[in-house]
Amino acid sequence: MKQDSLKSYISASLLTIVLCAAYCLTGGILQFVAAMFISALLGNVYYRHHYGYGILNSLMVLAVFSLFAGVMAAAMITVPLLLLGLSLALGTRFKMKMSGLLLLCTMIYIASLLVGFTITEHVAGPDGNITAIMLEVGRTMESALVSQYPEPELQEMIRQVIRQAVDISIMLAPATFIVFSIVLSYCQIIVFKKMQQKKGEDMAFLVPFEALAGDKTIAVLAIVLFVLLTAAPAGMFASAGLNVLLVLGFIFMVLGMSVFDMKMKRRGMPRFRRRFFLITLVVLSSMVIMLPVLFFTLWGLLDCFFDFRKLGADEEQSDE
């Protein structure tokens, strides 16, 4: 290994150790951020150095986590981070499109969540599954709110609202976890992309946010599914179909935001202001009966058919 390469590897290894410790000593969003950078650093070692060094760093991550949480918990944490890092490295080496790499990382996140839920249920018993946890949260909220209102009619209304909310949450839990995995995967890819760009790597194959695009297939699927759910609004198919439609709706919302972001970019608005404006619109949607979210979703759906930004024409010109 060359001198510069060796220094880069040692720096990445030391930073990985620090981030592993930070992951174990923090929680919440800081833990997610630490995990993303650990995966990005592992991917960087796999991509820029020999795969043997990548395996060595993966074992190092396993060892650090074992010191804090034990071997079993360390393996549960390390394996997804290792797979994500390896996916990022291979995706960069083979110049995978954003959609393909995003799908691959999302599948790893979903598999990690499923394994985690399965192990938790195995250890804690029936009370450890996600349904039981949501029901317990609902009962706790119900007890806390009902105790504040002495009127029987108001107490019954609160019970019904909370029970319906819990039932909907349980029914839509799969879609919620998938959307959560998609968001984490996209952030993970962006972290890795920025890291490689700082090292001078050409990452143009991973299109920026304003150039994200869908295709007619998922748009047609969403329309067909919506029609079927309207015709059969109850039953097991309706539950599964509603979860799929919710995930597709989220994808179309993001695509609509991407279209709007490109429009603002072409008018000269700086990137930070564009993203801040988009996030503000989505966060404040509940104040205006979700109109911005509905607008973005419809715009993203229509863009799959009409390609408002003419991205397809740009790709044909670049191929020529």
Side-chain angles (χ1 to χ4, degrees):
M1 186 183 294
K2 295 181 180 180
Q3 186 72 16
D4 292 342
S5 182
L6 179 61
K7 288 182 179 179
S8 175
Y9 171 71
I10 293 175
S11 299
S13 301
L14 292 175
L15 183 56
T16 301
I17 293 173
V18 172
L19 287 169
C20 288
Y23 178 95
C24 296
L25 297 174
T26 58
I29 190 170
L30 292 177
Q31 202 170 56
F32 284 116
V33 172
M36 286 181 188
F37 277 94
I38 293 170
S39 293
L41 286 168
L42 288 175
N44 178 68
V45 172
Y46 274 112
Y47 178 68
R48 294 191 166 273
H49 305 283
H50 194 276
Y51 280 91
Y53 289 103
I55 295 173
L56 180 62
N57 277 35
S58 300
L59 292 174
M60 179 185 67
V61 170
L62 178 63
V64 175
F65 283 141
S66 298
L67 291 175
F68 285 93
V71 177
M72 181 61 71
M76 288 179 57
I77 300 170
T78 304
V79 171
L81 298 180
L82 162 63
L83 292 176
L84 285 168
L86 194 56
S87 299
L88 293 169
L90 293 175
T92 303
R93 191 167 300 281
F94 295 109
K95 306 297 182 185
M96 290 180 64
K97 290 184 177 181
M98 174 64 83
S99 57
L101 187 55
L102 183 61
L103 177 61
L104 181 58
C105 292
T106 300
M107 290 174 63
I108 294 173
Y109 271 113
I110 293 173
S112 175
L113 287 171
L114 291 176
V115 170
F117 289 143
T118 302
I119 293 176
T120 301
E121 185 176 357
H122 178 74
V123 173
D127 293 335
N129 63 49
I130 189 65
T131 301
I133 293 173
M134 287 185 174
L135 289 172
E136 182 59 32
V137 171
R139 284 191 291 267
T140 302
M141 291 178 59
E142 182 179 318
S143 300
L145 291 174
V146 166
S147 62
Q148 299 180 19
Y149 300 96
E151 297 85 356
E153 297 83 2
L154 191 56
Q155 289 181 348
E156 184 60 27
M157 184 183 71
I158 292 173
R159 290 191 181 96
Q160 291 180 0
V161 170
I162 291 179
R163 288 169 186 171
Q164 289 177 359
V166 170
D167 289 341
I168 293 173
S169 298
I170 292 172
M171 181 179 67
L172 298 180
T176 303
F177 290 130
I178 293 173
V179 168
F180 181 67
S181 298
I182 292 173
V183 173
L184 287 179
S185 298
Y186 184 76
C187 293
Q188 177 71 81
I189 292 171
I190 294 303
V191 168
F192 182 77
K193 178 182 177 181
K194 296 296 183 184
M195 186 179 294
Q196 297 308 310
Q197 285 177 329
K198 285 188 175 182
K199 295 179 181 294
E201 187 72 26
D202 181 14
M203 303 294 286
F205 62 94
L206 294 177
V207 297
F209 178 78
E210 64 270 16
L212 293 176
D215 57 44
K216 294 180 181 179
T217 304
I218 61 171
V220 171
L221 174 63
I223 294 172
V224 171
L225 197 54
F226 179 78
V227 172
L228 291 176
L229 288 174
T230 304
M236 185 176 296
F237 169 78
S239 178
L242 193 59
N243 277 277
V244 174
L245 194 61
L246 182 61
V247 174
L248 292 176
F250 171 77
I251 293 173
F252 292 135
M253 183 193 75
V254 173
L255 294 178
M257 294 170 67
S258 174
V259 175
F260 194 55
D261 190 58
M262 177 67 84
K263 298 291 185 183
M264 291 189 291
K265 178 181 179 180
R266 289 174 176 172
R267 292 187 178 185
M269 184 180 290
R271 182 173 60 181
F272 176 79
R273 288 175 57 189
R274 300 196 317 261
R275 304 294 160 77
F276 180 79
F277 182 61
L278 288 171
I279 293 172
T280 302
L281 281 178
V282 173
V283 171
L284 299 181
S285 288
S286 59
M287 300 176 62
V288 286
I289 57 174
M290 305 304 289
L291 286 178
V293 169
L294 294 174
F295 172 76
F296 287 140
T297 303
L298 180 59
W299 205 357
L301 175 67
L302 293 175
D303 182 65
C304 293
F305 292 104
F306 300 109
D307 189 15
F308 296 123
R309 294 162 290 180
K310 307 303 178 186
L311 297 178
D314 293 342
E315 288 181 2
E316 289 179 3
Q317 291 178 1
S318 63
D319 291 340
E320 294 175 359

